[in-house]
Amino acid sequence: MRGAVAAGHPLTAEVGAEILADGGNAVDACIAAAFASWVVESPLTGPGGGGFMLVHRAGEPGARLLDFFVTVPGLGRLRRPAEMEAVDVDFDSETAQVFRIGSASCAVPGSAAGLEAAHRAYGSLPWRSLLEPAIGLAHDGFELTRQQAYLHLILDVILRHTAEGRRVYRKRKAGERLRLPDLGTTLERIARRGAGDLYRGELARAVVAHLRETGGGVSAADLRAYRVVRRRPLAVRFRGHEVLSNPPPSSGGVLIAYALRLLERLPSAAHGSATAMAQLAEAMREQSRARGGAFASGLYRGGLSGRLLGDQSVRRALARVRAVTSTTHISAVDGAGNAASLSASAGSGSGVIVPGTGIHLNNMLGEYDLRGPARPGARLTSMMAPSIALRRGRPRLVVGSAGSVRLRGAILQAVVNVLDHGLGVEEAITAPRVHLEEPHLHCEGGADPAELDRLEQFGYDLVRWRRRNLYFGGVSAVEVGADGSLAAAGDPRRGGHGIVVE
């Protein structure tokens, strides 16, 4: 089928494109690409993580968000879990971050259940055919790209934290081949028996037994109780389009919708100008105020319904969210007008790899401040925001990003660049970005120095980056032109890739 797919790794995108070429729809392509990402982007995602998929079906009103993010364990818990372990991750010579890992950091994973739920609701090709490319990649191996080798390097202290991790991963350089045969066997098992094996079968028993031995809190009851939740996405009007995104209990979509609503009230400014960058900076400042609970700025006056900033669940989501480091995103459209936008994460990874399975469990309990006792079974909040922009009910832009708390700004700027400034999707993604981190406005390399000088004259305290950097997110997006033409692009900041299938 004709279509387009974009992802954070060339092989992830190639698998999605192969599925489209074989007659699959956008959801099929997204599912198969997601399984491939478990292999080629294993530091970022996998069966031990969780995520979200936003789906628009051609000719049908509305859209649906499949929430398969992680949940709080504790059902059937018989003892207190062990303490989390703190490790330092050095991103470069000047930047480091402390991560909390170990079995006690593991929340209940949802990725496998979510992909199966998406296939049952929207898929057209056989389940096994969507896993076969990933199975082949896991057993045959693949060459590490420069960006993936860098991720393996900085996350080495987590990936090889245990004896099992050191067995599965060893230090590799770009161009070296990585095979993950245990993960390949797990994928084969899921292909034969379905995702339920990870929640009620042999894989579930392996996960629970290992966590019991190592002090984790995820029980058999937690896995059996896990359910994918279907939600109605948030919707906001922007420059003649309806932009859909992730609703509460997650907060990324709320903040993006809020910023778009603010920008909608302002006149368009020339792309790359100091005025355009200042508008983005002020929208980001209002996002931060909203996230911190300050709703009294007076810039927001309705228009998004009570589900947005006036809703108590939104306030809770904004107050609770913290950074998640490792995320990947896949966007897909097909010639029939279907669209799928998927974001997934395993946090920074817990360092806990279940022996013989290749399943690297998430560390989401270590990434989030739950602000008080959390009810077992409750969804954690997230900044991930898979999004779709519709024009007259048809897909115009399918977009999402990696990038921790900065992913919302990356998505916002991609949306504004396409829908407001009229840039093509590749130019929209590669264009230099800004990120407000009070009191500084970080400006990515590539911006016009004269316009940056004007920004400083406006009163902003700039941090001028010399070049483009993964710090500013990793967007994957596809677009549909007014004439039906397709385009796709992955973010060069993280080695992303886009493919159009004609």
Side-chain angles (χ1 to χ4, degrees):
M1 181 181 289
R2 181 172 178 268
V5 61
H9 191 286
L11 291 174
T12 303
E14 287 175 15
V15 167
E18 290 171 5
I19 294 299
L20 288 170
D22 289 343
N25 62 29
V27 175
D28 291 322
C30 211
I31 294 170
F35 281 125
S37 74
W38 287 10
V39 180
V40 300
E41 302 176 61
S42 62
L44 307 175
T45 184
F52 308 88
M53 181 189 286
L54 179 59
V55 177
H56 167 80
R57 297 188 73 179
E60 294 187 5
R64 280 292 177 268
L65 188 287
L66 299 183
D67 178 343
F68 48 95
F69 200 49
V70 301
T71 61
V72 178
L75 300 174
R77 179 179 292 170
L78 299 178
R79 58 183 174 82
R80 184 181 180 85
E83 295 296 322
M84 299 182 199
E85 303 169 65
V87 297
D88 293 320
V89 173
D90 295 318
F91 290 90
D92 53 42
S93 60
E94 299 178 351
T95 308
Q97 186 173 345
V98 176
F99 290 98
R100 291 183 291 174
I101 65 171
S103 293
S105 71
C106 303
V108 183
S111 286
L115 296 180
E116 185 174 71
H119 179 257
R120 287 177 174 171
Y122 308 112
S124 63
L125 296 184
W127 172 248
R128 182 175 181 84
S129 68
L130 303 183
L131 284 101
E132 285 175 348
I135 293 169
L137 286 168
H139 285 300
D140 298 339
F142 58 95
E143 290 185 0
L144 286 180
T145 65
R146 177 177 59 83
Q147 293 85 355
Q148 291 303 110
Y150 173 69
L151 284 172
H152 279 256
L153 174 65
I154 62 175
L155 295 176
D156 183 71
V157 67
I158 296 174
L159 292 174
R160 303 196 312 131
H161 187 67
T162 64
E164 182 69 7
R166 291 187 288 275
R167 186 183 71 82
V168 173
Y169 295 102
R170 64 174 177 82
K171 292 185 177 181
R172 288 177 172 84
K173 298 179 181 179
E176 291 188 328
R177 202 162 190 84
L178 174 63
R179 293 180 175 83
L180 298 171
D182 290 346
L183 182 57
T185 300
T186 289
L187 287 163
E188 289 175 335
R189 190 172 192 87
I190 292 173
R192 291 194 311 270
R193 303 194 177 188
D197 199 74
L198 185 54
Y199 299 90
R200 296 173 297 278
E202 185 174 317
L203 290 175
R205 289 188 286 274
V207 169
V208 171
H210 186 61
L211 289 178
R212 185 184 299 118
E213 292 175 1
T214 55
V218 176
S219 68
D222 291 316
L223 291 171
R224 286 195 303 270
Y226 187 87
R227 297 292 184 272
V228 176
V229 179
R230 289 167 172 79
R231 305 188 191 277
R232 186 183 300 276
L234 280 175
V236 60
R237 299 294 300 178
F238 181 71
R239 304 299 193 235
H241 295 77
E242 182 182 36
V243 180
L244 309 177
S245 196
N246 197 3
S250 291
S251 59
V254 176
L255 293 170
I256 292 169
Y258 183 37
L260 289 174
R261 182 60 178 172
L262 297 174
L263 293 172
E264 175 76 355
R265 301 167 70 90
L266 301 174
S268 296
H271 176 256
S273 68
T275 300
M277 288 186 278
Q279 289 178 347
L280 287 167
E282 291 309 307
M284 291 175 178
R285 178 169 285 133
E286 289 300 312
Q287 286 179 322
S288 296
R289 289 174 177 170
R291 182 182 171 199
F295 300 95
S297 65
L299 288 181
Y300 176 73
R301 293 289 186 271
L304 291 181
S305 86
R307 293 179 303 167
L308 200 50
L309 296 182
D311 188 283
Q312 188 176 9
S313 66
V314 174
R315 292 175 183 252
R316 286 197 299 267
L318 293 177
R320 287 165 50 193
V321 73
R322 291 181 62 198
V324 173
T325 299
S326 300
T327 306
T328 194
H329 181 82
I330 301 162
S331 294
V333 296
D334 63 37
N338 302 299
S341 184
L342 179 147
S343 296
S345 177
S348 61
S350 64
V352 178
I353 300 177
V354 181
T357 70
I359 298 174
H360 186 186
L361 295 168
N362 68 83
N363 74 322
M364 294 299 186
L365 297 182
E367 294 284 350
Y368 284 79
D369 178 2
L370 298 178
R371 296 182 183 253
R375 176 178 56 82
R379 279 297 197 277
L380 295 185
T381 188
S382 171
M383 194 61 74
M384 288 186 283
S387 304
I388 298 174
L390 302 175
R391 179 176 53 199
R392 294 188 290 276
R394 297 180 179 178
R396 170 73 177 90
L397 179 69
V398 185
V399 61
S401 181
S404 183
V405 295
R406 293 173 294 280
L407 68 82
R408 70 175 188 262
I411 295 170
L412 173 67
Q413 290 169 82
V415 170
V416 170
N417 285 346
V418 173
L419 304 188
D420 191 10
H421 300 310
L423 303 185
V425 67
E426 184 171 1
E427 186 181 3
I429 289 175
T430 58
R433 297 178 188 142
V434 298
H435 173 70
L436 185 68
E437 191 77 40
E438 298 281 16
H440 306 297
L441 180 62
H442 293 260
C443 299
E444 193 175 22
D448 185 338
E451 296 300 326
L452 296 182
D453 291 342
R454 287 187 62 212
L455 263 182
E456 285 188 325
Q457 293 170 9
F458 291 167
Y460 291 99
D461 184 356
L462 303 190
V463 176
R464 303 193 188 202
W465 292 62
R466 287 180 295 176
R467 57 182 64 89
R468 289 173 177 80
N469 193 283
L470 184 57
Y471 172 88
F472 292 90
V475 175
S476 301
V478 298
E479 69 168 325
V480 183
D483 59 355
S485 60
L486 299 174
D491 205 316
R493 295 165 182 84
R494 62 160 298 177
H497 191 56
I499 300 175
V500 173
V501 178
E502 296 290 356

